[in-house]
Amino acid sequence: MPGKADVVVVANRLPVDISVDAKGKLSWDRAPGGLVTALAPVMRARKGAWVGWSGKPDLDVDAFDADGMHLVPVELSATEVEDYYEGFSNGTLWPLYHDVIVNPEFHRAWWNAYDAVNRRFAEAAANAAAKGATVWVHDYQLQLVPALLRKLRPDVTIGWFNHIPFPPVEIFSQLPWRERVLDGLLGADLLGFQRSWDAENFLRSVRRLTSEKVRGSRVTVEARSKLPARETKVGVYPISIDTQSFQELAASEEVGKRALEIRAELGNPDVLLLGVDRLDYTKGIRHRLKIFGELLRDGLVKAPEVCMVQVASPSRERVEQYKTLRDEVEVTVGRINGDYSALGRAPVHYLHQTFPMEEMAALYRAADVMLVTSLRDGMNLVAKEFVAAQVDLDGVLVLSEFTGAADDLPQALVMNPHDIEGAKRVVMRAIEMPKAEKRRRMRALRRRVARDDVAAWADRFFDDLAAAKKEHRD
């Protein structure tokens, strides 16, 4: 029997963190993360349903309303969290889709859990969706859901969006279950990617690994399992942030005051460099530290006149590669500080913590140069948050060319984090940039981020899904 929601979002996580006390009383807090930041305002406006995991294993919770949305929890056992999420999603797909920065692992038990969990998500979405509803599935954890959902509910219109890169066919082909993944994705009416490279990589994989016909940005999917032949459209939809809200937060008197306090606590340096990331091997944190360490070694900058704050929020701490990364980063920070600190004044301030948005906005405002050195990144919303926070127009954004944001923010200084010498030159250019050029570049970046905000991103995707629905009816 169809549900009541005309719009359903399906994502690995719910947009809230759920807690249940000893008496069985449920409470929730807004969850951190780019997807929640991006979609929560959109879903509240559309009064939709959100299907996702609670974030806690073996927590069985009925659907409930929170934060202006109808939330439909999907239960995962501890074993499924280990195999589907930590295993296949983050031990197989994540490194594979990020250019094999670390080696992916291929385990049949992980795949079986991924398949089973995707079926459960598809069933939950099918039960939540009203007749003829629009369902928007998100990210690499749920690549099988579109085809599974289409079999259950051929009446709904299905979109899927990939928040991370999609790899070249030569890398994607390593996946033993590559045809199943492609078949799962081709169950959607519209597939969205962050960059044109990602869309092209997907289309090349379809050409090379399936019998489906590709013409331009459309794939003709043959009839199967009592479903008629149809088309899947592939598009590019670079994601953004809730720009107005973040600008208002950054411009507040409290945040401005806190930004001055941060600089004072750091000894009022001439130049403050800032890095903000999840502690993940894709973010290029080690490369960033190497760049800064060599600038100090070469005498191009001096501590404490120039210092760096590196925020590295905890991430996937049970996964071995992440434990190793944390150890390597902390050893590197200690070495730089040991070599170049003045008494009581460290050149690198390393914070392995998660901060509220007010503190992040203050850090962005306090910084002179934002360093985004990702080795591979779908978009990187931190870059856009930094731009939105620059109400005084005096910050400089340095971006890795391997981020989606590099396509989206052309007035940033772009560098290759693997080219240490070249990256050092770019960072020095940012440090020495004349004030007039800073303001000109940042003014253009802020116009871009204000125009192409999260609402525009979602509206464009929903508009194209509506067009797909109309084509389906015609």
Side-chain angles (χ1 to χ4, degrees):
M1 182 176 178
K4 297 180 179 179
D6 291 322
V7 176
V8 179
V9 162
V10 188
N12 176 64
R13 287 290 303 274
L14 289 172
V16 299
D17 289 325
I18 299 174
S19 300
V20 180
D21 64 20
K23 297 181 180 180
K25 183 180 179 182
L26 181 147
S27 60
W28 57 267
D29 292 301
R30 176 82 175 272
L35 179 59
V36 177
T37 301
L39 273 184
V42 179
M43 290 303 292
R44 282 195 293 268
R46 294 174 181 265
K47 298 181 180 178
W50 189 309
V51 175
W53 173 45
S54 69
K56 292 182 172 59
D58 300 305
L59 180 61
D60 185 9
V61 178
D62 292 335
F64 63 102
D65 294 330
D67 207 15
M69 295 172 281
H70 184 64
L71 306 185
V72 182
V74 174
E75 183 182 0
L76 298 182
S77 69
T79 300
E80 286 171 334
V81 172
E82 184 176 347
D83 289 347
Y84 146 77
Y85 181 67
E86 295 174 355
F88 195 78
S89 294
N90 294 315
T92 302
L93 294 176
W94 182 267
L96 190 75
Y97 283 30
H98 286 84
D99 292 350
V100 196
I101 294 170
V102 303
N103 291 326
E105 298 181 38
F106 305 111
H107 300 296
R108 284 168 289 180
W110 288 3
W111 164 257
N112 291 336
Y114 184 83
D115 186 11
V117 170
N118 270 245
R119 290 180 187 278
R120 196 173 309 146
F121 272 83
E123 290 165 2
N127 292 334
K131 185 173 177 58
T134 296
V135 181
W136 193 358
V137 186
H138 286 266
D139 228 356
Y140 64 105
Q141 301 99 340
L142 302 175
Q143 293 177 108
L144 307 184
V145 168
L148 295 169
L149 178 59
R150 184 161 297 282
K151 290 177 182 177
L152 295 170
R153 293 290 303 276
D155 60 300
V156 302
T157 303
I158 304 169
W160 178 85
F161 182 74
N162 199 33
H163 292 254
I164 69 172
F166 195 89
V169 62
E170 293 80 7
I171 292 178
F172 181 72
S173 294
Q174 296 178 34
L175 186 66
W177 307 278
R178 60 198 189 186
E179 289 89 356
R180 280 288 312 279
V181 169
L182 292 176
D183 183 66
L185 292 174
L186 289 172
D189 297 287
L190 176 64
L191 295 171
F193 297 91
Q194 299 272 26
R195 305 181 83 174
S196 58
W197 290 2
D198 303 318
E200 290 163 7
N201 286 343
F202 172 78
L203 291 167
R204 280 195 217 97
S205 292
V206 173
R207 285 194 195 95
R208 182 86 63 88
L209 302 173
T210 78
S211 60
E212 312 294 8
K213 294 179 181 177
V214 179
R215 292 183 180 177
S217 62
R218 293 177 181 264
V219 181
T220 300
V221 182
E222 298 173 353
R224 63 188 71 178
S225 303
K226 300 181 181 180
L227 294 173
R230 53 180 189 79
E231 282 192 336
T232 295
K233 184 180 178 183
V234 177
V236 179
Y237 303 86
I239 197 171
S240 194
I241 62 171
D242 186 358
T243 308
Q244 183 176 348
S245 294
F246 204 85
Q247 284 178 340
E248 291 173 355
L249 174 64
S252 68
E253 183 178 347
E254 295 81 2
V255 166
K257 181 180 178 183
R258 177 60 186 144
L260 293 175
E261 289 174 352
I262 288 171
R263 291 192 71 99
E265 289 166 8
L266 295 170
N268 287 313
D270 296 334
V271 179
L272 172 56
L273 308 176
L274 176 65
V276 175
D277 313 86
R278 283 187 309 104
L279 188 59
D280 191 289
Y281 51 76
T282 66
K283 301 299 184 181
I285 299 172
R286 288 171 295 193
H287 294 64
R288 187 179 310 151
L289 291 169
K290 184 174 181 63
I291 291 163
F292 184 51
E294 290 197 9
L295 290 174
L296 289 165
R297 182 201 67 189
D298 297 345
L300 295 170
V301 300
K302 292 183 66 176
E305 290 83 2
V306 178
C307 72
M308 174 190 288
V309 170
Q310 174 60 58
V311 177
S313 58
S315 175
R316 300 167 189 163
E317 294 188 292
R318 291 172 46 173
V319 179
E320 191 59 38
Q321 293 99 327
Y322 291 80
K323 295 177 185 177
T324 301
L325 174 64
R326 180 178 179 181
D327 291 342
E328 292 175 350
V329 167
E330 292 177 356
V331 166
T332 303
V333 169
R335 184 179 298 121
I336 293 172
N337 285 343
D339 289 344
Y340 301 106
S341 286
L343 190 61
R345 300 279 296 278
V348 180
H349 301 264
Y350 173 70
L351 304 168
H352 184 243
Q353 304 168 43
T354 300
F355 293 99
M357 290 309 298
E358 293 80 4
E359 184 73 0
M360 293 311 306
L363 277 166
Y364 292 143
R365 282 197 63 179
D368 298 292
V369 179
M370 181 82 202
L371 300 177
V372 178
T373 55
S374 307
L375 308 181
R376 196 76 165 90
D377 219 334
M379 175 52 62
N380 195 284
L381 294 179
V382 161
K384 296 190 175 184
E385 289 176 350
F386 174 75
V387 170
Q390 295 306 298
V391 295
D392 298 321
L393 304 177
D394 55 2
V396 182
L397 175 62
V398 175
L399 268 182
S400 163
E401 66 183 85
F402 304 114
T403 64
D407 288 354
D408 232 25
L409 302 174
Q411 291 81 17
L413 298 185
V414 177
M415 55 86 154
N416 176 355
H418 299 287
D419 176 8
I420 300 298
E421 289 298 329
K424 285 158 60 178
R425 288 192 292 272
V426 173
V427 174
M428 287 307 301
R429 183 182 171 194
I431 290 172
E432 297 169 350
M433 185 177 290
K435 185 172 184 178
E437 184 180 355
K438 287 183 185 180
R439 295 177 67 83
R440 175 177 58 79
R441 286 177 177 271
M442 187 53 66
R443 191 176 286 112
L445 286 169
R446 285 172 60 79
R447 281 198 299 266
R448 183 75 174 253
V449 171
R451 183 191 69 202
D452 299 329
D453 67 356
V454 66
W457 166 76
D459 285 346
R460 183 168 163 248
F461 196 96
F462 276 120
D463 287 346
D464 286 356
L465 261 182
K469 179 183 289 191
K470 186 175 185 300
E471 288 180 20
H472 179 68
R473 288 174 177 170
D474 293 346

